[in-house]
Amino acid sequence: MDKVNLAKKLSLIAERWSPRIVGAVNDFHVKLVKLQGEFVWHSHEAEDELFLVLKGRLRMQYRERVLVVEPGEFIVVPRGVEHCPAADEETHVLLR
Amino acid sequence: MDKVNLAKKLSLIAERWSPRIVGAVNDFHVKLVKLQGEFVWHSHEAEDELFLVLKGRLRMQYRERVLVVEPGEFIVVPRGVEHCPAADEETHVLLR
């Protein structure tokens, strides 16, 4: 039941595209990740995925459009929807 | 699949202690709430509860201790654990 400081946890992450679990709520994990560059196109069969941007700028590419997500904003990618996250600068994201 | 801007959503909330649903991930809601003063002692039987502080300062009282949670920090109150949230100044929290 200790508190989690997002900036401290982020300072421990060196690699990009490698989510770290920082908490658990019910049966789901809260994760932090650093992004830069482009990931791969993929979808998740069983789970929606929340991206809350803490720093930088996330370009979430869907097949039919691109959403630019800035600090203090989040998106939820519904299960089954193809997406490809990208970021020009280093971008910090809380995932659920 | 549109993005949600936390500050914009918060600007629409006038009452305190009245969580607003701003998104859904899997079967759970993402909520925003403004707190000031003290709530009541309670616990949730079936669900853990995440508090991510966006602004202000949350004093989460447990029966055996108090945790002060600042912006950029979160806590998870496990199901069944008695707690009483309080805030001296207006405090903005993302709940899950």
Side-chain angles (χ1 to χ4, degrees):
Chain A
M1 290 200 304
D2 280 332
K3 66 182 181 177
V4 174
N5 182 295
L6 299 180
K8 277 188 198 161
K9 292 289 186 186
L10 282 161
S11 74
L12 302 173
I13 300 177
E15 309 102 280
R16 290 170 181 152
W17 305 107
S18 177
R20 301 297 171 85
I21 295 169
V22 295
V25 189
N26 301 303
D27 296 327
F28 289 95
H29 289 133
V30 178
K31 290 174 273 189
L32 291 173
V33 66
K34 293 183 176 176
L35 314 178
Q36 187 165 19
E38 187 171 271
F39 202 59
V40 294
W41 283 93
H42 67 289
S43 64
H44 307 281
E45 272 322 293
E47 291 186 17
D48 304 335
E49 194 173 24
L50 177 143
F51 294 75
L52 170 61
V53 176
L54 304 170
K55 178 183 156 183
R57 188 171 230 241
L58 172 66
R59 281 190 300 111
M60 183 59 78
Q61 304 170 94
Y62 300 105
R63 288 298 184 189
E64 77 287 6
R65 64 167 173 162
V66 176
L67 269 183
V68 175
V69 191
E70 315 227 33
E73 298 179 336
F74 74 82
I75 52 171
V76 177
V77 179
R79 64 196 78 181
V81 171
E82 276 193 300
H83 59 289
C84 179
D88 294 330
E89 60 187 291
E90 184 172 275
T91 295
H92 299 175
V93 175
L94 184 147
L95 295 172
R96 238 316 312 273
Chain B
M1 291 202 302
D2 278 332
K3 67 181 181 177
V4 174
N5 182 293
L6 300 179
K8 278 188 199 162
K9 292 288 186 187
L10 281 161
S11 74
L12 302 174
I13 300 177
E15 310 103 279
R16 289 165 183 156
W17 305 107
S18 179
R20 301 297 171 86
I21 295 169
V22 294
V25 189
N26 301 304
D27 295 329
F28 291 94
H29 290 134
V30 177
K31 291 174 272 191
L32 291 174
V33 67
K34 291 182 177 178
L35 314 178
Q36 188 165 17
E38 187 170 271
F39 201 59
V40 294
W41 283 94
H42 68 289
S43 63
H44 308 281
E45 274 321 293
E47 290 186 16
D48 306 333
E49 194 172 22
L50 176 144
F51 295 76
L52 170 61
V53 176
L54 303 170
K55 179 183 155 182
R57 191 169 226 241
L58 172 67
R59 281 190 300 108
M60 183 59 77
Q61 304 171 93
Y62 300 106
R63 288 298 183 189
E64 77 287 7
R65 66 168 170 161
V66 177
L67 269 183
V68 175
V69 191
E70 315 224 35
E73 298 180 336
F74 74 82
I75 53 172
V76 178
V77 180
R79 61 196 82 180
V81 171
E82 277 193 300
H83 58 287
C84 179
D88 296 329
E89 61 188 291
E90 184 174 273
T91 296
H92 299 176
V93 176
L94 183 149
L95 294 171
R96 238 318 309 274

